[in-house]
Amino acid sequence: MEAKIDEPWTLGRLLTWTTRFLSQKGVESPRLDTEVMLAHVLGCERIHLYTRYEEEAPDDVRQRFRDLVRKRSEGCPVAYLVGRKEFFSLAFEVGPSVLIPRPDTEELVVECLRLAKPLAEPAVLDLGTGSGAIAVAVAKQHKGGQVTAVDVSPEALAVAKRNAEKHGVAGRVTFLLGDLFAPLPAGERFDFVVSNPPYIKSADLAGLEPGVRDHEPRLALDGGADGFAVFDRIARGAGDFLKPGGVLLVEIGSPQEAGARARLAARAEFELGATIKDGSGHPRVLAARLRAPDGT
């Protein structure tokens, strides 16, 4: 990134050059990633770049930006490089110990909030909370929501706790370390059990996009031989922790719809609802309501 003597490295020139460079490297969203990284090193909002195109970049900014661009060109996700990702219009701290929140997962939050709207203090259990994106978004949007967030990774829970504190909901989110339902007190019941479990088949992990395969935590991706290892455990255990009429909401991979629906439909304790699709029209979330003791 060396400028000609008569052509200074303005922010506009950095944006144009880097976008082209990342595009040649096969980066999926080169312009967006360039803007996010440059705004990060400048300490400004991305939208403010548009009024600063003619501003010359200081040497220290160029050096830090160059380092980020190199790592991005090598496959590191931009969210890890800048340490944050937006989810449900909230900025979440992220790092290599947690899965980067995806827009598709917002559909799960939307459905949970829709069903929880009539409840003054809905009790929500988030299994495999990771960065805490689901738990924090639900608590932030429903002012009476009481959320319990569980994860098997101490490092992930530390990130989730910081996100809850950042968004002012730490007092209504309880974090528990453990494997799915294991750390919960016996007899505890929830209005909702929600989860975005790992659902990639073990054999398919090697074929994932390198930024995901090489950087995001395998624990949050690997769904076992058939992709349903964690899903099945959640389906088996959820009925013991839901109130009668409570709802299980689980994110799925779009190719899993038929298998996932069959698994839940086979469980007599649940009444399976319609599949919820994401913004691209792909199957994304399954909802199943726990029947009352009389089977209704």
Side-chain angles (χ1 to χ4, degrees):
M1 288 189 188
E2 292 305 319
K4 298 176 182 177
I5 294 176
D6 60 347
E7 190 177 355
W9 278 107
T10 62
L11 299 185
R13 187 173 177 221
L14 278 177
L15 287 168
T16 299
W17 189 95
T18 306
T19 298
R20 184 169 61 248
F21 172 74
L22 292 180
S23 179
Q24 292 169 349
K25 291 291 184 179
V27 172
E28 186 176 343
S29 51
R31 179 68 182 196
L32 175 61
D33 289 0
T34 297
E35 291 178 355
V36 168
M37 290 187 291
L38 186 55
H40 175 70
V41 297
L42 288 169
C44 71
E45 297 294 328
R46 184 165 64 92
I47 194 171
H48 294 159
L49 294 175
Y50 299 108
T51 63
R52 300 176 63 177
Y53 279 3
E54 302 305 317
E55 182 179 322
E56 190 169 349
D59 288 344
D60 64 320
V61 166
R62 284 174 52 203
Q63 181 58 54
R64 287 185 287 130
F65 182 60
R66 183 184 293 115
D67 291 342
L68 292 183
V69 172
R70 175 181 56 79
K71 293 175 182 176
R72 183 68 188 102
S73 71
E74 294 169 352
C76 186
V78 70
Y80 288 160
L81 292 174
V82 302
R84 67 181 183 278
K85 178 69 174 179
E86 184 174 291
F87 178 82
F88 224 79
S89 299
L90 301 170
F92 282 87
E93 174 192 336
V94 296
S97 63
V98 301
L99 194 71
I100 298 170
R102 267 67 167 180
D104 293 341
T105 304
E106 293 183 355
E107 300 299 333
L108 190 154
V109 176
V110 168
E111 184 65 8
C112 183
L113 290 171
R114 184 185 73 81
L115 295 172
K117 189 173 182 179
L119 305 178
E121 295 184 351
V124 181
L125 173 62
D126 177 23
L127 297 173
T129 195
S131 66
I134 294 171
V136 171
V138 169
K140 187 72 174 178
Q141 297 299 321
H142 196 304
K143 302 308 181 185
Q146 302 292 325
V147 185
T148 299
V150 178
D151 205 286
V152 74
S153 165
E155 295 80 11
L157 278 184
V159 173
K161 287 177 181 179
R162 290 194 293 272
N163 281 322
E165 291 165 0
K166 174 182 180 179
H167 292 295
V169 297
R172 291 188 289 111
V173 183
T174 301
F175 293 97
L176 299 177
L177 176 64
D179 184 21
L180 299 181
F181 302 101
L184 294 167
E188 189 161 6
R189 296 289 186 272
F190 298 88
D191 297 292
F192 301 94
V193 173
V194 302
S195 183
N196 175 19
Y199 51 69
I200 306 296
K201 293 180 181 179
S202 300
D204 292 343
L205 291 172
L208 293 176
E209 188 271 322
V212 177
R213 180 193 64 214
D214 299 335
H215 296 275
E216 298 200 56
R218 186 184 182 97
L219 186 65
L221 298 168
D222 192 347
D226 61 1
F228 288 108
V230 181
F231 179 96
D232 286 342
R233 293 175 58 212
I234 291 172
R236 285 195 301 268
D240 294 332
F241 291 90
L242 280 168
K243 300 174 183 178
V247 178
L248 170 65
L249 293 166
V250 188
E251 180 170 337
I252 58 170
S254 55
Q256 292 181 307
E257 182 186 17
R261 289 189 64 84
R263 282 166 154 80
L264 284 180
R267 304 201 65 84
E269 69 269 32
F270 287 119
E271 178 186 355
L272 183 60
T275 301
I276 298 159
K277 297 184 178 180
D278 61 26
S280 300
H282 299 135
R284 189 56 58 191
V285 177
L286 295 188
R289 188 177 297 275
L290 185 68
R291 300 182 191 274
D294 62 2
T296 60

